[in-house]
Amino acid sequence: MSDQLTLSRRSFIAASLAGGTALTLDASVVLAAATATAPADVLNVFVRINADNTVTIGAKNPEIGQGVKVMLPMLIAEEMDIAWEQVRIEQTDANEKIYGVQTAGGSTATPRNWLPMRQVGAAARAMLVSAAAKKWGVDPASLTTARGAVIQPSSGKSLTYASLARAAAAETPPDLAKVQLKDEKTFTIIGKSKPGVDVPKIVKGEPLYGIDTSLPGMVHAAIVKCPSHGGTVASFDDAAAKAIPGVLGVVAVNSGFVPQGKSDTVVVIADSWWKASKAREKLAVKWDDAAVTGFSTAKYEADAAKIVDNAPQASLFKVGDPDATLAKAAKVVKADYEYPFLAHASLEPQNCTAMFQNGKLEIWAPSQAPAGGREETAKLCGLNADDLTIHLTRIGGGFGRRLMNDYMVIAGQVAKAMPGKPVKVLYDRTDDFRHDFYRPAGWHRFTAGLDANGALIALKDHFVTFGADGKPIRAAQMAPSEFPAPIVPNVDLGASYMATNLATGWLRAPTSNAMSFVWQSFMDEVAEVAGLDLPEFMRRTLGAPREIPGERVKFHTGRARGVIDAVCKSAGWQGRKKGRGFGFYFSHLGYFAEIVDLSMKDGNIQIDKVWVAGDIGAHVINPINALNQAQGCVIDGIGQALVGQKIVQENGAITAENFGDFALMRIDAAPREIVVEFVKTDFPPTGLGEPALPPVIPALANAIYSLTGKRHRRLPLEMI
């Protein structure tokens, strides 16, 4: 990928040497400093070698359940040549000047860090070997390493990494781009299952998440936001709220969603969150919201129905002459599809703890994009970005929600208004549902043309969604390379945009979670008209193995064919069968094909089994986590598609208050079995947080059609 992490030699040795001999820990090193009883040497910003020959490795990216807190240290440990039982893992702080990109989004952690983190480990190993070679007066090339020791094969002598760490830290770090990496055939950690480092704490319910943050003297804050998104504070009367014992203050702030200089959130601070929450009921707030109360789900649907009948406002991709081709096509297939706004429904509500003192702001945040939060918070607090210290906490769900940092922005401003006191801002469940950054709704009008042999020769889509100034708003995009557009000779993809007051954002498998449903469900319709099942129609459409240029990445038809063939073989697919559906999708650099089997019980549809085949390259770094991610994606995708997963808006405001208004996946609705297979190919490894999710949605919809004869062209699906 073009945005692959690049670490400089300078950042690699941010733990610097004083006078070239004594190791000095500077303030930029987040790994805990050595104590008198447990001395340790920081070899670089990611590695600390402890006196007992264990190695503490810093996990730099936010952990939201995707397993990156184990995966990244695995890469370093592999190249350091230490045993996994020697590894201790610590979460680093957020500081991209030291650690490079620190985000959890887009399944980018693996492709960005596959080489850089291995280079970090290999460089540390090289420094240790060099130190041992000098101690013995031998050529470094004559030495080997194993299980945290440097070995001289000719004499059988060995030195532990702990005994060499101080001397190794004095070595000049090698050029990371030229450091020698291990032969992949000799891997002992990569490709072996390693459990999540936080699992014991999660099982025991020990403090771990942002919501668990507790600091001496901490006070608590509850929020009141304008019900209609985009409304601002006109005035407020806080006398009744402040009269409640334990209430410490009331402050109006900007969540980052409205122009600077405006306020859209009133915050009550008290000595307990319960008091703050009860006191906010006493606030009398007048909102300036006349411009944002006219938006509603009903209006969107009515407007979309009119817009889709007209020509698209913008062209996304056009090749050939689809209209002329359709006029001469042997068969023409038409269908309209749609999907609603969705919320993230995070199990851990949004929260952030902040403390302002001496002109500096310290933050404890469950953020997927802390660098963005740093910039936004600094701007609205009138600080320099370097004045912020951000401690990363584990994130309790809501894939994509924590890419938006409104909770950090609010906490920073509140803390600045209460200097010297740590302040925890906590949304309640209703706050979370009504002030989310929603997956945008969309409407599609498809037309496809087939020749006499059933080949797809023309394709059109008028996509109606939300935008301004002729461009889509955040997360409302459709890629011009949406499959199968790049390999059809005559294509016209167009889009039209409506206004909305809602804040929008990325939901797990952003855009793909919606596009997979409409495109693969429609392709199933087209395949049926062609007299084929969807896998065979896909094979014929894909054609010979080759790379197809895309907007940002290339699409490999051979890799797509590989997972289609694999899942069909695994599931014993033999053409269309009642209660069975298929779906394929390429997203976040991963190729996935899935088959869903359904049955009817007591008049209700139940999901019996799901087969998954995925191609994420040559290496599955942590197999047990890869299995968990694929299975979790399947369950999450089914949840996105189910009845109840729909956000409704009235008078500019969201109506949902709690999970009773937005049904989540329940255990009795989950598949009885999910079978996962990885097809290894000779390509660099890619991520797994998202690409297994999109195909299950159309596979489920297509399975419902095959079971009931009813074609579902809108989400959520009816499972009855």
Side-chain angles (χ1 to χ4, degrees):
M1 293 181 65
S2 60
D3 57 354
Q4 185 180 77
L5 170 65
T6 300
L7 289 173
S8 68
R9 191 178 304 195
R10 179 178 178 84
S11 67
F12 178 81
I13 57 170
S16 60
L17 295 175
T21 55
L23 189 64
T24 300
L25 302 180
D26 72 18
S28 67
V29 180
V30 180
L31 293 179
T35 66
T37 57
D41 285 311
V42 177
L43 197 56
N44 58 56
V45 295
F46 293 99
V47 176
R48 184 177 72 235
I49 299 177
N50 305 309
D52 60 359
N53 210 37
T54 59
V55 180
T56 301
I57 299 179
K60 72 182 184 69
N61 279 20
E63 175 61 70
I64 191 172
Q66 80 279 39
V68 74
K69 193 172 180 180
V70 171
M71 186 275 288
L72 294 180
M74 286 177 71
L75 302 180
I76 295 173
E78 180 68 74
E79 294 292 348
M80 277 194 72
D81 215 6
I82 55 180
W84 187 248
E85 56 265 27
Q86 294 175 265
V87 175
R88 307 292 181 264
I89 298 174
E90 290 183 7
Q91 179 72 59
T92 74
D93 279 352
N95 191 329
E96 294 202 346
K97 291 182 178 180
I98 297 175
Y99 301 109
V101 177
Q102 292 177 281
T103 60
S107 295
T108 56
T110 297
R112 274 186 177 144
N113 293 287
W114 167 248
L115 284 178
M117 291 297 97
R118 289 175 61 202
Q119 289 166 341
V120 165
R125 176 182 175 274
M127 293 165 73
L128 289 157
V129 169
S130 181
K134 288 180 180 178
K135 188 177 184 70
W136 287 327
V138 299
D139 184 349
S142 68
L143 305 179
T144 62
T145 56
R147 301 183 65 82
V150 179
I151 303 164
Q152 186 180 43
S154 62
S155 66
K157 293 189 298 184
S158 67
L159 290 168
T160 65
Y161 284 180
S163 68
L164 291 165
R166 180 74 45 168
E171 292 291 317
T172 300
D175 184 340
L176 295 185
K178 297 179 180 179
V179 72
Q180 184 175 355
L181 300 177
K182 291 175 66 174
D183 184 335
E184 296 179 2
K185 296 177 182 178
T186 67
F187 285 167
T188 59
I189 294 175
I190 293 173
K192 308 297 182 183
S193 291
K194 308 300 177 188
V197 65
D198 290 334
V199 168
K201 287 187 177 182
I202 294 171
V203 171
K204 295 176 184 177
E206 295 180 4
L208 185 64
Y209 296 92
I211 199 172
D212 298 322
T213 302
S214 180
L215 299 170
M218 187 170 73
V219 297
H220 303 264
I223 68 167
V224 177
K225 289 177 69 71
C226 182
S228 297
H229 283 235
T232 57
V233 177
S235 64
F236 66 93
D237 183 347
D238 59 6
K242 284 183 174 180
I244 297 175
V247 172
L248 305 174
V250 178
V251 59
V253 301
N254 186 328
S255 71
F257 185 60
V258 297
Q260 197 162 358
K262 298 281 189 178
S263 299
D264 63 347
T265 307
V266 182
V267 185
V268 179
I269 306 103
D271 56 15
S272 76
W273 187 85
W274 180 251
K275 288 181 182 178
S277 180
K278 298 304 290 183
R280 63 181 169 170
E281 297 174 5
K282 301 294 185 180
L283 287 173
V285 185
K286 293 183 178 180
W287 303 104
D288 183 359
D289 60 358
V292 293
T293 56
F295 297 96
S296 69
T297 298
K299 187 175 188 304
Y300 296 146
E301 291 176 347
D303 289 348
K306 296 175 183 177
I307 293 170
V308 79
D309 284 335
N310 299 314
Q313 298 169 3
S315 176
L316 303 180
F317 177 70
K318 188 169 184 179
V319 64
D321 191 342
D323 288 328
T325 305
L326 285 168
K328 296 183 291 185
K331 295 179 180 178
V332 175
V333 186
K334 296 183 178 181
D336 289 357
Y337 278 82
E338 64 183 87
Y339 45 84
F341 281 96
L342 288 184
H344 291 84
S346 306
L347 290 181
E348 177 196 24
Q350 311 315 305
N351 65 88
C352 183
T353 302
M355 181 167 63
F356 181 77
Q357 58 184 353
N358 301 321
K360 306 289 185 181
L361 187 61
E362 191 169 7
I363 292 172
W364 291 259
S367 173
Q368 290 179 247
R374 180 189 301 276
E375 296 296 328
E376 295 165 32
T377 304
K379 180 179 178 180
L380 285 168
C381 288
L383 301 172
N384 294 320
D386 291 340
D387 292 332
L388 275 64
T389 298
I390 301 176
H391 306 294
L392 294 176
T393 66
R394 191 177 174 100
I395 305 168
F399 280 85
R401 173 61 179 92
R402 263 72 178 213
L403 289 166
M404 317 310 298
N405 290 288
D406 50 312
Y407 44 87
M408 190 188 299
V409 169
I410 291 171
Q413 293 169 83
V414 175
K416 192 176 180 186
M418 303 286 292
K421 289 184 178 292
V423 182
K424 179 190 284 186
V425 173
L426 175 64
Y427 291 23
D428 69 12
R429 192 66 66 192
T430 301
D431 297 331
D432 217 11
F433 269 111
R434 292 189 172 177
H435 302 288
D436 199 347
F437 288 77
Y438 306 94
R439 193 281 303 275
W443 295 259
H444 295 256
R445 173 157 291 174
F446 288 111
T447 307
L450 299 168
D451 67 13
N453 297 317
L456 183 60
I457 56 174
L459 180 63
K460 295 182 68 174
D461 177 27
H462 184 182
F463 172 38
V464 179
T465 188
F466 299 91
D469 301 321
K471 296 180 180 179
I473 56 176
R474 182 172 46 223
Q477 299 86 352
M478 181 173 73
S481 56
E482 194 66 46
F483 180 84
I487 50 180
V488 177
N490 302 280
V491 178
D492 187 0
L493 305 184
S496 296
Y497 305 111
M498 300 185 292
T500 181
N501 67 318
L502 291 182
T504 57
W506 298 280
L507 181 69
R508 191 177 190 180
T511 71
S512 305
N513 51 48
M515 296 300 165
S516 60
F517 163 66
V518 299
W519 282 91
Q520 281 286 284
S521 296
F522 181 61
M523 286 299 103
D524 192 56
E525 293 196 57
V526 176
E528 186 176 37
V529 172
L532 302 169
D533 61 16
L534 183 53
E536 181 57 27
F537 184 76
M538 291 284 293
R539 293 185 187 100
R540 297 187 186 189
T541 304
L542 287 164
R546 64 200 187 281
E547 282 191 336
I548 307 294
E551 185 180 26
R552 290 189 60 202
V553 297
K554 296 177 181 177
F555 175 83
H556 199 293
T557 62
R559 297 179 73 181
R561 171 69 178 263
V563 295
I564 292 171
D565 290 347
V567 78
C568 286
K569 181 179 179 181
S570 176
W573 180 281
Q574 295 180 340
R576 292 184 180 271
K577 177 184 174 183
K578 188 173 183 179
R580 174 167 276 198
F582 171 89
F584 163 83
Y585 208 73
F586 168 67
S587 67
H588 305 89
L589 304 180
Y591 299 77
F592 276 82
E594 301 177 18
I595 291 172
V596 172
D597 270 5
L598 306 177
S599 62
M600 189 76 74
K601 184 177 181 181
D602 299 327
N604 294 315
I605 296 172
Q606 68 177 22
I607 306 172
D608 297 322
K609 193 168 183 177
V610 178
W611 284 267
V612 179
D615 177 356
I616 54 169
H619 295 279
V620 178
I621 297 170
N622 188 357
I624 190 171
N625 187 65
L627 174 64
N628 293 340
Q629 288 302 303
Q631 292 177 331
C633 277
V634 166
I635 293 171
D636 211 355
I638 292 171
Q640 289 183 12
L642 289 178
V643 169
Q645 292 254 333
K646 180 178 181 178
I647 283 295
V648 176
Q649 185 181 13
E650 296 177 358
N651 299 320
I654 299 302
T655 61
E657 293 186 351
N658 212 319
F659 292 123
D661 305 310
F662 191 85
L664 295 185
M665 186 75 169
R666 295 186 178 273
I667 194 167
D668 60 350
R672 275 56 176 171
E673 185 178 1
I674 303 173
V675 178
V676 180
E677 173 186 357
F678 290 102
V679 179
K680 293 186 178 181
T681 53
D682 191 21
F683 292 88
T686 54
L688 254 179
E690 293 161 300
L693 186 153
V696 76
I697 301 175
L700 176 60
N702 294 337
I704 293 174
Y705 170 69
S706 70
L707 180 67
T708 67
K710 182 179 179 181
R711 180 72 72 176
H712 289 274
R713 298 187 179 95
R714 64 184 296 174
L715 294 177
L717 302 172
E718 296 178 9
M719 293 289 285
I720 55 175

